[in-house]
Amino acid sequence: MTALHQVVKRSLNDAVMISNVVAAGTDIEGSASNQLFYPYGIFVDVNLDLYVTDCSNDRVQLFQPGESNGITAVGYRSLNPTITLRCPSGIILDADKYLFIVDRNNHRIVASGLNGFRCLVGCYGSGSQSKQLNFPFSFSFDHSGNIFVTNEWNNRIQKFFLMKDSFAVSFNQPKFCPTATWNSNGITFANRSILGQYSTAVFVDRNNTIYVANQQNKTILIWQEESVNPTKIIHNNCTLPNSLFVTANGDVYIDDGFKNGQVQKWIVETNTFVTVMNVNSTCYGLFVDINNTLYCSMPSHHQVVKRSLNDAVMTSNRIAAGEGIKGSIWDRLDSPRGIFVDVNLDLYVADCNNNRVQLFQSEELDGITVTGSGSLNPPLNCPSEVVLDAEKYLFIMDRNNHRIVSSSLNGFRCLVGCNGMGSQSHQLTFPFGFSFDHSGNMFVTDTFNHRIQKFQYWEESCVNTSSAVQTVYASKLTTNSSTYLRSCFGSGSTFYYEAIQVTIRRSGLYTFFSKSNMSTHGSIYKDYFDPSNPHENQLLSADVNCKPLQFKFTIALETSITYILIVTTYTPKETGEFLIFVSGPNNVNLKTMSSPSVIEIPYSSDAQSKYSSQLTTISQTYSRDCRKSNYYYETIRVNVVETGYYALSSSSSMDTFGDIYKDDFNPMNPIESQLSQVYRSCFHLNFRFSVYLYASTKYILVVTTSSPNMTGRFSILTSGPNNITLDPYTQSQTSCFIGQKCQFYKKSIGVTLDDILRDEIRSNMTLTDQTVLVKINAALTMIMFVGGLINSLLSLLTFQSKDLRQVGCGIYLLASSITSFLTISMFVVKFWFVVLTQMDLSIRFSVVRGGCLLIEPLLKLCLYLDAWLNACVAIERAILVFKGVNFNKQKSQRIARWIILVLPFCIMGSIIHEPIHRELREVKMETNKVDINRWCLTRYSPSIQQYNTIILFFHLVGPCIINLCSALFIIFGSARQRSTAQTRQTLREHIYHQFNEHKQLLISPIILLILSLPRLIMSMLSECVNPSNHRLLFIFGYFISFTPSMLIFIIFVLPSGLYRKTFQESFKRWRRLIHQ
């Protein structure tokens, strides 16, 4: 009875209709637990529990049998307020006791579920359209689950059909315990060779199928569960897609807004793409909610837009959040990134430049800050992704802090990437997005490391810790303990510490905490601890937190890794006893280990040197931290006269930063030759460190700034055992480094056709638009191909004769006729491969990589095989002279066939190291972020390089020497035999006559050696060589080294009367056959 604010009841089994009994409420309106205020719909379940929609109290009350005080089941005063109601008027429970409620004044019907409440129908505000309601009052289900609704103010009853699988979301929302922990060391699921560069989009569906967008190759990569390599690759025309979303039926929505201004949908059933949304810019976040509405976040427009995919016609987008003007007030955004829409149609937005996450409730344009600026949660720095778990806790990608954080009952905490940016397994560098699989593991796009990292969820972290095993370790810090410089407390900030090796017997989650009268500080390291660099390998560091003066932290540890626990103090030079307690799934072994001391060298007034200068806008720049911003810097030569520790410090109004290098400094590789500094101060504005320097050694001090594009004056002060001189220094640039800032790869050996022509070829232009030199080289290449083809045809015409193939020489020369053509063909393939892959940078990475690995080794195989076949001819000729009439032709034939069969495998085995050590590197160009440079490099270790040198000499010089020695043997051998038989002439006269008769045998190998020398020299170059300085010389040397493969006919057929006669006969025979 609405007006009486009561629910009454009577039994229908009574024969006489007696007075009603009050079931709920009093006759007085109110909001107390025993009161109601305009109750409407009611429902009684099989347990006789009464559910009442208490309209004016905006709640649903549950009255258990015999109880007059109700429990708020749904509403703002419920135990778990997950949804706001406005005058609920109807309620039904399904077979699983989930609630279905008419939310009258919100013009909708909502339902509870495993993931909280969600909107079912009427989710687009009031109205008269088929998808809208206007003050609905009651509803009912039919046996098929369809809903019939009294749409009161529209004067109609609406039927809403149940859609199968309509409530199944496509993504994983695991349920985690409050202590859920992930392995801090990620596993690289996919690297640059698969993803390309700067991948941002990853999605894992409920079947554990993983979807990733490869921006570079314009593909969508798909891994089925447990697959190591992609099981499907979808090619598309999207330009630099930043996001994708997969629905429950397997359709993929992918961003194509950067160039084409649209969102595309790949339909799994037809394997086709269609446009489903028009946008004005790239979408950094895509989402499809349970009502089949597509959302796109557009950072450049500071807005999130949406449109219903149920509409037959692609209408204009509607605003979901943001006015389109950047700002930080509640209805504005600043460069929004990732988005998430829950089952209540509440929209969560990662508001990057406002460093916050905004919540926009359904159909509301005023946002609520749930974390970040204006809240009491940890400071964010450009959040780029937000995900809700089953309990509606937030998981946020904190992009510029290179980590993922999450909310919990105890506030926010860091989950992975908690040790700063980097490329180690426990670090991230500007990550972009992430997704859960059904086991709770996280897949993260580690964008600037060009990889996807998988962080494993530790199920053990939710085990009841009351059954944990505890280990106790007791020790003390004394004045004899090792010392190091933990942090910045001015001069004399030395800390005593103890290093403890931690051996894990069972992988799992372990808690470390201390007990001491000292103010303890604890850090744990992986593999080793370097006291001179206390941030290296550090997994976690904890100051006093849980109790006065004590530290406590929890971390996931593995059995296969060595850990080092460092126990020190919060203040310098503090001593005393301490206890360490470790609790976890098993005992751990704690063992004291020796570790050296690090001493800060005092900055005394003795033996000081001073240097002053300034950084200006015309100073040299480099990328100190491997980001895009430039840092002005100055290089200073440090001249040391006495070996020892030296202290260096700066004084400036700028925020200075200093590094010292041995021998030289290369701005393209700011890590190479960098010395390990014993101590770096973090005093405001100035740097300060100590380093051990040797007399008569070249050192370079680089002075720059901690922030980019800063200028100003600075002074350098040094102190140590003796004065040192500081002089301005200009470093010489090297051409050994390939790539842009911090994407460097050092060339190790050889000059190839790639190096010679790279700078001459114009990217993204046709052959007609190339330079004259490229066109000339292309024409010369084709001329050489035609010449090689003619040479091979004429040689084949000669040596196909059976008479010539009765001995091994004929068989060798027939094979050489074929290999010479293969050599010149591979040379042509190599030339056009280099030219075309540089002209068209959109050629697929896999194609370019295959050519990089295979073409050069195959070219060498053909070249070496041709040379060794010619050497075999020379050897057999020498044997013929030596054997004379005892020469066995049949044996010669058998040996020749075996050598031709085995020789290619021997050569390939000797050069197999080359394809193994070849790699394709890609570098984004600074002038155009879309274009890339591809470098095919060979990188050898010193031992492999030494082996490669021997092999080069063996294959290039060996055949020439064999030819030369064979010719000399034939000349002198024949002369000696003739001098024995013909005594009328002296041996010298016979040698002279034999030389005149066989002079071509000497001239040919000398010519071959001369022609091979340029290739040998270029192959041996291992120093810094820039072919562009002498491009014509290098091109001439490279091309001429392939001319021996065109000279088989000239070298072997024309000088020989027998071969020439055989050729003439074969040629006449083929002419007759052609004219018949």
Short mmCIF file of all heavy atoms in Angstrom, two decimals, residues 9 195 229 276 322 339 401 471 555 561 667 673 704 874 911 921 1000-1001 1030 1066:
data_model
loop_
_atom_site.label_atom_id
_atom_site.label_comp_id
_atom_site.label_asym_id
_atom_site.label_seq_id
_atom_site.Cartn_x
_atom_site.Cartn_y
_atom_site.Cartn_z
N LYS A 9 -0.16 -8.58 4.39
CA LYS A 9 -0.34 -9.92 3.85
C LYS A 9 -1.45 -10.66 4.62
O LYS A 9 -1.81 -10.29 5.74
CB LYS A 9 0.96 -10.71 3.97
CG LYS A 9 1.41 -10.97 5.41
CD LYS A 9 2.72 -11.73 5.45
CE LYS A 9 3.15 -11.96 6.92
NZ LYS A 9 4.41 -12.72 7.03
N LEU A 195 56.63 -7.93 -33.54
CA LEU A 195 55.71 -6.80 -33.36
C LEU A 195 56.02 -5.62 -34.25
O LEU A 195 55.15 -4.80 -34.50
CB LEU A 195 55.79 -6.31 -31.90
CG LEU A 195 55.44 -7.28 -30.79
CD1 LEU A 195 55.69 -6.62 -29.46
CD2 LEU A 195 53.99 -7.70 -30.90
N ASN A 229 54.18 -18.77 -31.50
CA ASN A 229 54.20 -17.87 -32.65
C ASN A 229 52.76 -17.55 -33.07
O ASN A 229 51.83 -18.30 -32.77
CB ASN A 229 54.94 -18.52 -33.82
CG ASN A 229 56.40 -18.77 -33.49
OD1 ASN A 229 57.09 -17.88 -32.99
ND2 ASN A 229 56.88 -19.97 -33.75
N VAL A 276 33.09 1.27 -39.48
CA VAL A 276 31.96 1.31 -38.55
C VAL A 276 31.86 2.64 -37.82
O VAL A 276 30.88 2.87 -37.13
CB VAL A 276 32.07 0.16 -37.52
CG1 VAL A 276 31.87 -1.18 -38.18
CG2 VAL A 276 33.40 0.21 -36.78
N GLY A 322 33.89 14.82 -22.26
CA GLY A 322 34.75 15.89 -22.73
C GLY A 322 34.04 16.85 -23.67
O GLY A 322 33.28 16.44 -24.55
N ILE A 339 40.18 3.73 -22.28
CA ILE A 339 38.83 3.84 -21.74
C ILE A 339 38.32 2.47 -21.35
O ILE A 339 38.79 1.44 -21.86
CB ILE A 339 37.86 4.49 -22.77
CG1 ILE A 339 37.94 3.75 -24.12
CG2 ILE A 339 38.14 5.96 -22.94
CD1 ILE A 339 37.00 4.29 -25.17
N ASN A 401 55.38 6.99 -15.59
CA ASN A 401 56.08 6.41 -14.44
C ASN A 401 56.48 4.97 -14.71
O ASN A 401 57.00 4.29 -13.82
CB ASN A 401 55.21 6.48 -13.18
CG ASN A 401 55.16 7.87 -12.58
OD1 ASN A 401 56.15 8.60 -12.64
ND2 ASN A 401 54.03 8.25 -12.01
N THR A 471 61.23 -17.61 8.93
CA THR A 471 62.67 -17.75 9.13
C THR A 471 63.17 -16.50 9.86
O THR A 471 62.76 -15.39 9.53
CB THR A 471 63.40 -17.90 7.78
OG1 THR A 471 62.84 -19.00 7.07
CG2 THR A 471 64.88 -18.14 7.98
N ILE A 555 57.32 -9.48 -1.47
CA ILE A 555 57.83 -9.61 -2.84
C ILE A 555 57.73 -11.06 -3.28
O ILE A 555 57.86 -11.98 -2.46
CB ILE A 555 59.29 -9.09 -2.93
CG1 ILE A 555 59.76 -9.06 -4.39
CG2 ILE A 555 60.21 -9.93 -2.06
CD1 ILE A 555 61.10 -8.38 -4.57
N ILE A 561 66.65 -18.08 -8.87
CA ILE A 561 67.34 -16.79 -8.88
C ILE A 561 68.02 -16.56 -7.53
O ILE A 561 67.48 -16.91 -6.49
CB ILE A 561 66.36 -15.65 -9.19
CG1 ILE A 561 65.73 -15.85 -10.59
CG2 ILE A 561 67.03 -14.28 -9.12
CD1 ILE A 561 64.67 -14.84 -10.93
N PRO A 667 78.42 10.64 -28.85
CA PRO A 667 77.05 11.07 -28.48
C PRO A 667 75.97 10.15 -29.02
O PRO A 667 74.85 10.17 -28.51
CB PRO A 667 76.94 12.47 -29.10
CG PRO A 667 77.97 12.50 -30.19
CD PRO A 667 79.09 11.62 -29.72
N SER A 673 82.08 3.25 -23.30
CA SER A 673 83.30 3.80 -22.67
C SER A 673 83.01 4.60 -21.41
O SER A 673 83.91 5.26 -20.87
CB SER A 673 84.08 4.69 -23.66
OG SER A 673 84.44 3.94 -24.80
N THR A 704 76.37 18.16 -18.94
CA THR A 704 75.08 18.45 -19.57
C THR A 704 74.09 18.81 -18.46
O THR A 704 74.51 19.22 -17.37
CB THR A 704 74.61 17.25 -20.41
OG1 THR A 704 73.37 17.57 -21.05
CG2 THR A 704 74.46 16.01 -19.57
N ALA A 874 92.59 -26.68 -62.80
CA ALA A 874 94.04 -26.49 -62.77
C ALA A 874 94.75 -27.67 -62.12
O ALA A 874 95.80 -28.13 -62.59
CB ALA A 874 94.37 -25.19 -62.04
N ILE A 911 80.90 -21.22 -44.39
CA ILE A 911 80.38 -19.85 -44.27
C ILE A 911 79.03 -19.82 -43.55
O ILE A 911 78.33 -18.81 -43.58
CB ILE A 911 80.24 -19.17 -45.65
CG1 ILE A 911 79.24 -19.93 -46.53
CG2 ILE A 911 81.58 -19.05 -46.33
CD1 ILE A 911 78.92 -19.21 -47.84
N ARG A 921 68.21 -4.63 -38.67
CA ARG A 921 67.89 -3.63 -37.66
C ARG A 921 67.04 -2.54 -38.28
O ARG A 921 67.27 -2.13 -39.42
CB ARG A 921 69.16 -3.01 -37.06
CG ARG A 921 70.00 -3.99 -36.26
CD ARG A 921 69.36 -4.25 -34.93
NE ARG A 921 70.24 -5.01 -34.05
CZ ARG A 921 69.96 -5.28 -32.79
NH1 ARG A 921 68.83 -4.87 -32.27
NH2 ARG A 921 70.79 -5.98 -32.05
N GLN A 1000 99.08 -18.57 -71.17
CA GLN A 1000 97.72 -18.23 -70.72
C GLN A 1000 97.40 -18.87 -69.36
O GLN A 1000 96.56 -18.37 -68.60
CB GLN A 1000 96.67 -18.66 -71.76
CG GLN A 1000 96.33 -20.14 -71.79
CD GLN A 1000 97.33 -20.94 -72.61
OE1 GLN A 1000 98.30 -20.37 -73.15
NE2 GLN A 1000 97.11 -22.24 -72.72
N LEU A 1001 98.10 -19.99 -69.04
CA LEU A 1001 97.87 -20.63 -67.74
C LEU A 1001 98.38 -19.77 -66.60
O LEU A 1001 97.89 -19.86 -65.47
CB LEU A 1001 98.53 -22.01 -67.70
CG LEU A 1001 98.03 -23.05 -68.71
CD1 LEU A 1001 98.79 -24.35 -68.55
CD2 LEU A 1001 96.53 -23.27 -68.52
N HIS A 1030 84.14 7.74 -51.01
CA HIS A 1030 84.78 7.28 -52.25
C HIS A 1030 83.84 6.30 -52.94
O HIS A 1030 84.21 5.17 -53.24
CB HIS A 1030 86.13 6.62 -51.93
CG HIS A 1030 87.06 7.46 -51.11
ND1 HIS A 1030 87.76 8.52 -51.63
CD2 HIS A 1030 87.36 7.41 -49.78
CE1 HIS A 1030 88.48 9.08 -50.67
NE2 HIS A 1030 88.25 8.43 -49.54
N SER A 1066 80.08 -27.69 -82.18
CA SER A 1066 78.78 -27.64 -81.48
C SER A 1066 77.94 -26.49 -81.99
O SER A 1066 76.72 -26.62 -82.16
CB SER A 1066 79.00 -27.50 -79.98
OG SER A 1066 79.70 -28.61 -79.46
#
